[in-house]
Amino acid sequence: MGKKGKEIVKLDVDELLKTLNKAFADEWLAHYQYWVGAKVAVGPMRGAVVAELVQHAADELRHADMLTERIIQLGGKPLLAPSDWEKHTNCGYLVPSDSSVKALLEQNVEGERCAIVTYNKILEMTKDKDQITYNMVLEILADEVEHEEDLEALQEDMMAAKGMF
Ligand code: FE
Ligand code: FE
Ligand code: MG
């Protein structure tokens, strides 16, 4: 990467790259979990839930893209094999074997809560040390906070609808 661009990072760059690659693994797994969940979903309010899952799948892929750009900028390489994602992930992958919208929402909320904790830690790590990564992670964290809320709102809607029948 650029000489000055690297000099202004007041962190161990190798450690930072490891951290960013772990988040990168999370994003691919989250992307796929949403993407495949939207395909197999069944049950009440399927249309509304699928629309949200599809939107979130796109957001997670965009996050993976942002992380890759920064990893490469810092002189690193994104994890090159999908088998590495499961090895390095923080938040894991929850197999949507129960494809009811209720189960899918529960799994995805759990994933978002893990993402929020993970990105909050990276923010603390990069604060006043690497402004570029900090700003990027802040943007991603804001999306994850929104995702959690979106999913919780759907869960509430489902509960409310249930009471009407
Ligand atoms: Fe994400
Ligand atoms: Fe998310
Ligand atoms: Mg949304």
Side-chain angles (χ1 to χ4, degrees):
M1 76 174 286
K3 194 162 167 278
K4 274 290 165 206
K6 199 165 184 169
E7 263 176 34
I8 59 170
V9 177
K10 293 184 278 226
L11 281 169
D12 179 338
V13 173
D14 288 337
E15 276 305 304
L16 178 60
L17 283 168
K18 265 186 213 156
T19 302
L20 295 179
N21 252 322
K22 286 171 76 66
F24 173 77
D26 289 337
E27 292 294 352
W28 270 106
L29 294 173
H31 165 71
Y32 187 68
Q33 199 171 315
Y34 275 121
W35 182 89
V36 82
K39 299 293 180 195
V40 299
V42 291
M45 293 182 52
R46 189 167 66 93
V49 172
V50 166
E52 199 67 57
L53 300 187
V54 165
Q55 195 188 99
H56 289 195
D59 289 340
E60 311 306 11
L61 188 58
R62 187 168 46 78
H63 296 162
D65 193 275
M66 292 163 76
L67 287 159
T68 322
E69 295 291 335
R70 186 59 179 150
I71 288 166
I72 290 170
Q73 212 173 57
L74 288 166
K77 240 187 203 183
L79 298 174
L80 295 175
S83 55
D84 288 333
W85 301 341
E86 289 232 89
K87 260 182 248 159
H88 297 280
T89 177
N90 301 290
C91 298
Y93 178 80
L94 297 170
V95 182
S97 35
D98 177 351
S99 57
S100 67
V101 290
K102 185 174 178 287
L104 294 176
L105 286 174
E106 279 166 10
Q107 288 183 326
N108 288 321
V109 167
E110 194 180 322
E112 293 299 342
R113 289 181 182 148
C114 178
I116 289 169
V117 170
T118 301
Y119 284 117
N120 203 42
K121 279 188 199 149
I122 306 179
L123 270 191
E124 283 165 15
M125 173 186 176
T126 52
K127 189 172 167 41
D128 300 326
K129 303 239 163 73
D130 176 357
Q131 324 284 6
I132 307 288
T133 302
Y134 181 89
N135 273 333
M136 176 191 75
V137 171
L138 186 59
E139 197 184 312
I140 297 176
L141 177 61
D143 287 343
E144 311 303 12
V145 166
E146 190 182 312
H147 288 171
E148 182 198 31
E149 213 280 317
D150 289 343
L151 298 176
E152 283 177 0
L154 281 167
Q155 287 178 319
E156 280 165 29
D157 289 352
M158 279 177 65
M159 290 303 288
K162 217 171 154 188
M164 288 167 66
F165 296 99

